[in-house]
Amino acid sequence: MSTATTDTVTKPGPGMRFTSAAANYIDERTSASGFVRELGRKIFPDHWSFMLGEVALYSFVAILLSGTFLTFFFDPSMTATHYQGSYVPLKGVEMSVAYASTLDISFDIRGGLLMRQVHHWAALLFVASIGLHMLRVFFTGAFRKPREINWVIGFVLFILAMAEGFTGYSLPDDLLSGNGLRIIDGMVKGMPVIGVWISYLLFGGEFPGHDIVPRLYVLHIMLLPAILIALIGVHMLLLIVNKHTQFAAPGRTNQNVVGSPILPVFAAKAGGFFFIVFGAIVLIASVFTINPIWNYGPYDPSPVSAGTQPDWYIGFADGALRLVPPHWEFVFLGYTWSMNILIPILVIMVFLVLVTFYPFIEAWITGDKREHHMAERPRNAPTRTAIGAAGVTFYGVMWAGASSDLMATHFMLTIEGVIVALQISLILGPIAAYIITKRVCLALQKKDREIALHGFETGRIVRLPGGEYIEVHEPLNEYDRWRLVAHETYRPLMIRPNERGRITVGQRVRAGLSRWFFEDRIEPVTRSELERAHHHE
Amino acid sequence: MAEHHDSAADGSAVELSEPRTVTSGTAVISADRFENPGLPVDHQRVTDLDPAQERKAERRIIWLFWLSLIGSVFAIAAYFIWPIEPGNMTSTRMNNLMLGIGITLGLFGIGLGAVNWAKSLMHGHEEVEPRHDTRGTEATRARAVEIFQQANAESGFTRRRLLRNSLIGALVVAPLPAVVLFRDLAPADEPHELLRHTMWEKGTRLALDPSGAPIKASDVTVGSVFHVIPESLAKLGHGDGYLEEKAKAVVLMMRLRPEELNEAEDRKDWSYDGIVAYSKICTHVGCPVALYEQQTHHLLCPCHQSEFDVANHCEVIFGPAARPLPQLPITVDAEGYLVAQSDFHEPVGPSFWERER
Amino acid sequence: MAKISRKHRSTGRRSPLATVALLAIGLLTTGGAYALATTTATAESQAAAANEQLIEEGKKLFAANCASCHGLNLEGSKEGPALVGVGALAVDFQVGTGRMPMAFQGPQAARKAPQFTQDQIDAMAAYVASSGPGPALPDERFLEATGDAAKGAELFRINCAMCHNVAGAGGALTEGKWAPQLKGLDARYIYGAMVTGPQAMPVFNDLNISPEEKRDIITYLDYVSENPSVGGFDLGSLGPVSEGLFIWIFGLGGLVAITVWLTARSN
């Protein structure tokens, strides 16, 4: 348990001579030894869920590498050409240069298809792992002070990742991506006042025009990645400054961090994990087709394919559009209000804003200004966990909406039935998820209390002299017990008049929210409770 | 980061300096809490206890790195062994598969080897590092405040208010020229005017998509669906706005039994002997609404599942669309070809702000 | 596909005369656009007798198996549409793909194993064709996958893909109906569906999509069926939804399993 290491500089062995000379050379010019001193033995706690952000980071590296390869061959031009490559069912077809060069990457450049598939699979994995990482941070309360800003940065990264994904999805200029852009165009046009102008400027004239692909390309390979990389840098820097959270365990306190040092253990694990993530992406890319653009043909406003869907991370927005009932549009003051577009956009915006600002809302309710470095078990914050479950359900229903047609065909249902069921679930699902999750959390906390007080059930039945049967419980040792009693709870806020003797509206709202959060709570077992329990036995 | 106390950094799970007291809000802090029992005794791995196991683990890791080497070399070889033969899809598939498998092995070998090394050979004990308040120490903060005050005094930033506010004003306005610069992202036209017109005009023949062959009314049998473009569109090149015009002008034409059509009085002459033509562009967000069911006369949009009833002027019967599909009034010319009576009587496609203007 | 159709023919037990007779009956009873006048009609007189016999046999089969819904005289009922003038091709498609007779009344008759031999189907087709003019079986040369795949692909995208999906994987229609998947389907049934417009599917007559163009479409579908998905397993060609599910369940799922191993204490 000691970290004490000898500071004496030992003479380098024969194999180390070059390394030490090089290190010396660099340090004398960069003062790099200071970094090594600060970071080299930094401690990272070990828990599987702490690796999810790394999956995101590493898949981003895979995206950068494969994407750079693709830029050498991709030509983002919408000029018309006649395809003369290998793929027979498109030979001689008129199409944009962008689509033709994507086909050439797929069919005529060795390893080109592999890199395309690595790029696309890695993109799907990137956004998925960010999502899962955010869920981990949310459900363990790892967004609390001092990490609120990093939560917001992470959230912006999530949005940027989706933007990167969508711009990339649109580049091949095939039928699928063209219809995706058509939907974007339709949505933009539905915006009040500026809609038509935004669409007109975006597409450089009337849809589809000849500008959208090169414009999205610049966003996709320059502007968005630059912002993304910068923000990832800040995200990581704040991670180092704040140090990682850890789960409650013996010896782990709010004032320390227990785990493996960067050099060598964590570096080896994290570095090795990079190769594993990259390897997994390449494996998937070599065995499973993704986005077979050659099936879709060049973009043409007339055809469309059954099962036209966006990539999974845009699915929730597509689903939100699908779940709107008919006729949500009216004319007011001579202008057209497309509520069938505005309402889903508004709902999504409100949802995203709530996610962004959740840390600040919770901090305001608890009034807790301390730093929190212990990751909470989800059950120990029942209301937050229930809110999270409701949010996940809400998102999930919208997401499912985007595949309503596939659900209908694969489960032998009617499209109309699926959509109506999802419309109902969008309202009732989150409520049900909230109630169930909260009750489950409280029940689990009760079980934890029970075990902390009375120990584990052993399954041994003993008959007492009086003829009574009891099951023998084995008490916990102090290490095991600590995990069950280490957490804190909050009490609902009492409304008190402020200095001027008034009760403000803000106070009332805060007290109301506080009651909602903390009225139902199970407090952890205390020492005296345990003593009393022992006396009873 | 640079604020760490060097002396406190080593050796103990216990924080040396007193933590700053800040409000804990409504948190319940009980004196009756359990004490943290401290780190348990370290656990020993087989590789820590048994040198034979340690050697075995080392060999295993060496093998993994060798596997990586083999994989990478295999990938290089695969690049040449499985080349792409133009037109042979199987060769492309093999190239993708073999190259990928080689690279996968190359990466997995390194990854699994490194992780195994960390797990079974590297120093396996957990270590402890103390945390400090994220905010700077009192001294640092005091110094920062002092710097700001000094800078303020030396510059007069708060004292010279007009000067400061002039600077802020100038900074706010400076980026605005950039907004103007974006006007020429698109040509000089008034965009919503363009949305009101399509290529259809009086006498334009209805033609097959994509060949542009004109269609006679007698060609259209009951139960048929024709994907239609204006005859003049087929002559347009991609550089002359083919896609832009097509994006507005595509039409779906069906023939029903005349008695199946419930036509409004004022639109009775828009169809011809049960043949009706409707814009193919969804009034929701613009996907091609092309799924026609000849028995139910329903049109379904595959993007967001709006359903339109062709027998009733394509009114919306399900899904998020708000308006019926615009109808193209048609008739036949002297040679029996189907022609448009005029352009659409309303803008096609998704709704927009100025639509009713 | 062409291969399959050849195999199909060899399994039938009908005499060569029956084919001639069928063609002849088509010529006798149909006219105008649907008469595929490319075949010769020299065997007319000899065939007439055989014809009568075939129609008679078909009528019996129809009365026993189909008439409860479609009526004894093809007049139809609440359960099934009238079949006067639907043509031999419609019967060949519906019965040959097992859609008819229907297993139960539902939104749509599903494809299943055919319930009759090709001889019996031909007999019923002859009977139905004798009721009035309707589309007959196409000329063999339009069923060969020897057309222009690129042209076929373009026509497929414009006329078929919105329901059947660009890769022929099928898709959803309204009220529980669906457009079936098309991979590995016998060319005669692809042709038959286009001409006769079974169930919800609209009709694509020869003036909309010419027989040569239909052959191009068949050629494209044959290409898609014959050539493996280039990038590896195609996950059902269902597009981004199956890709998304795959990356969440197997991609991220697998990596999470690895993180559990990676952070577990080794023993």
Side-chain angles (χ1 to χ4, degrees), chain B residues 97-127:
Chain B
L97 181 67
M98 291 305 172
L99 199 57
I101 296 287
I103 297 173
T104 303
L105 277 181
L107 295 168
F108 269 163
I110 298 174
L112 295 174
V115 172
N116 257 303
W117 190 349
K119 277 176 66 102
S120 44
L121 294 181
M122 287 182 192
H123 182 71
H125 301 165
E126 288 195 313
E127 297 185 7

Side-chain angles (χ1 to χ4, degrees), chain A residues 364 493-497 503-512:
Chain A
W364 180 61
L493 177 75
M494 302 291 279
I495 303 183
R496 288 206 187 81
I503 295 173
T504 58
V505 178
Q507 270 272 324
R508 279 178 203 283
V509 173
R510 196 179 144 199

Side-chain angles (χ1 to χ4, degrees), chain A residues 42-206:
Chain A
K42 231 181 132 47
I43 300 298
F44 274 86
D46 258 350
H47 189 272
W48 66 267
S49 69
F50 300 164
M51 308 292 282
L52 297 171
E54 281 180 43
V55 178
L57 181 66
Y58 301 152
S59 39
F60 182 64
V61 175
I63 292 172
L64 281 183
L65 293 175
S66 54
T68 307
F69 180 87
L70 294 177
T71 58
F72 296 152
F73 301 97
F74 179 67
D75 184 349
S77 157
M78 291 177 89
T79 314
T81 177
H82 289 269
Y83 178 67
Q84 295 302 343
S86 293
Y87 188 64
V88 175
L90 287 172
K91 266 212 169 113
V93 171
E94 189 163 30
M95 59 179 64
S96 67
V97 170
Y99 185 52
S101 67
T102 315
L103 288 172
D104 288 342
I105 290 172
S106 304
F107 291 118
D108 295 304
I109 288 160
R110 275 175 284 181
L113 181 59
L114 184 67
M115 286 301 126
R116 243 200 76 219
Q117 300 205 127
V118 163
H119 194 67
H120 203 146
W121 278 121
L124 293 196
L125 183 64
F126 180 48
V127 196
S129 51
I130 294 177
L132 201 58
H133 174 58
M134 281 174 67
L135 289 177
R136 197 281 296 172
V137 170
F138 182 87
F139 284 114
T140 62
F143 54 76
R144 292 175 296 167
K145 189 183 174 187
R147 296 183 180 77
E148 305 99 316
I149 294 175
N150 227 15
W151 167 267
V152 174
I153 292 172
F155 181 80
V156 174
L157 284 171
F158 181 57
I159 301 289
L160 283 171
M162 289 195 284
E164 271 287 34
F166 188 80
T167 49
Y169 170 93
S170 305
L171 294 182
D173 201 22
D174 61 329
L175 189 58
L176 185 66
S177 69
N179 274 311
L181 282 173
R182 177 103 223 199
I183 292 168
I184 293 292
D185 170 60
M187 286 175 69
V188 170
K189 278 185 180 143
M191 305 269 180
V193 189
I194 51 169
V196 171
W197 274 100
I198 296 286
S199 153
Y200 186 65
L201 295 175
L202 183 66
F203 288 93
E206 284 193 276

Side-chain angles (χ1 to χ4, degrees), chain B residues 49-302:
Chain B
L49 301 170
D50 181 358
Q53 289 286 342
E54 189 184 353
R55 278 194 301 279
K56 212 172 127 193
E58 190 175 346
R59 274 200 303 277
R60 190 175 66 226
I61 297 161
I62 292 171
W63 266 112
L64 282 168
F65 288 145
W66 276 98
L67 185 72
S68 163
L69 271 170
I70 294 167
S72 300
V73 172
F74 176 79
I76 297 168
Y79 189 85
F80 299 103
I81 298 174
W82 287 279
I84 291 177
E85 298 155 22
N88 182 348
M89 292 300 115
T90 312
S91 72
T92 316
R93 186 185 166 114
M94 286 309 282
N95 179 271
N96 184 63
L97 181 67
M98 291 305 172
L99 199 57
I101 296 287
I103 297 173
T104 303
L105 277 181
L107 295 168
F108 269 163
I110 298 174
L112 295 174
V115 172
N116 257 303
W117 190 349
K119 277 176 66 102
S120 44
L121 294 181
M122 287 182 192
H123 182 71
H125 301 165
E126 288 195 313
E127 297 185 7
V128 181
E129 185 185 356
R131 288 182 197 271
H132 309 275
D133 269 353
T134 305
R135 60 188 243 155
T137 59
E138 289 310 318
T140 312
R141 288 160 62 89
R143 177 64 189 135
V145 170
E146 199 183 322
I147 289 171
F148 277 128
Q149 280 168 348
Q150 191 177 356
N152 185 23
E154 287 172 5
S155 65
F157 192 71
T158 49
R159 192 158 34 85
R160 306 184 219 272
R161 286 176 64 183
L162 184 60
L163 174 70
R164 181 196 62 192
N165 292 346
S166 306
L167 172 65
I168 293 172
L171 284 173
V172 168
V173 178
L176 291 184
V179 179
V180 188
L181 283 177
F182 285 114
R183 170 60 188 88
D184 277 354
L185 279 173
D189 306 289
E190 192 68 22
H192 62 86
E193 286 308 319
L194 298 169
L195 294 172
R196 294 178 200 282
H197 308 289
T198 72
M199 273 187 101
W200 293 105
E201 49 193 53
K202 188 175 162 56
T204 310
R205 278 183 179 162
L206 280 74
L208 280 174
D209 181 15
S211 70
I215 306 161
K216 282 189 166 160
S218 55
D219 298 349
V220 187
T221 44
V222 171
S224 288
V225 61
F226 280 63
H227 296 259
V228 168
I229 52 174
E231 192 183 16
S232 42
L233 178 71
K235 296 176 196 101
L236 225 53
H238 268 73
D240 319 318
Y242 175 80
L243 289 179
E244 292 73 27
E245 290 299 340
K246 192 170 184 181
K248 292 188 293 183
V250 278
V251 156
L252 206 59
M253 179 173 72
M254 285 107 346
R255 184 170 205 158
L256 283 68
R257 289 186 188 82
E259 66 272 16
E260 289 170 331
L261 286 174
N262 305 317
E263 293 181 294
E265 273 311 313
D266 56 333
R267 282 160 73 171
K268 273 230 180 317
D269 61 338
W270 285 17
S271 64
Y272 179 80
D273 198 18
I275 303 175
V276 285
Y278 286 93
S279 165
K280 196 169 160 183
I281 308 301
C282 190
T283 56
H284 178 221
V285 284
C287 277
V289 190
L291 285 72
Y292 175 60
E293 297 175 1
Q294 62 135 324
Q295 288 174 336
T296 56
H297 317 303
H298 290 174
L299 270 171
L300 171 70
C301 176

Side-chain angles (χ1 to χ4, degrees), chain A residues 90 92 101 155 190 241-242 256 328 346 382 473 512 530:
Chain A
L90 287 172
S101 67
F155 181 80
V241 171
N242 293 329
N256 71 10
W328 278 16
L346 217 64
H473 284 241
L530 184 68

Side-chain angles (χ1 to χ4, degrees), chain C residues 123-153:
Chain C
M124 283 185 280
Y127 167 61
V128 170
S130 71
S131 69
L137 284 168
D139 194 310
E140 280 298 330
R141 68 196 166 92
F142 296 127
L143 303 180
E144 303 285 341
T146 52
D148 181 344
K151 187 144 184 267

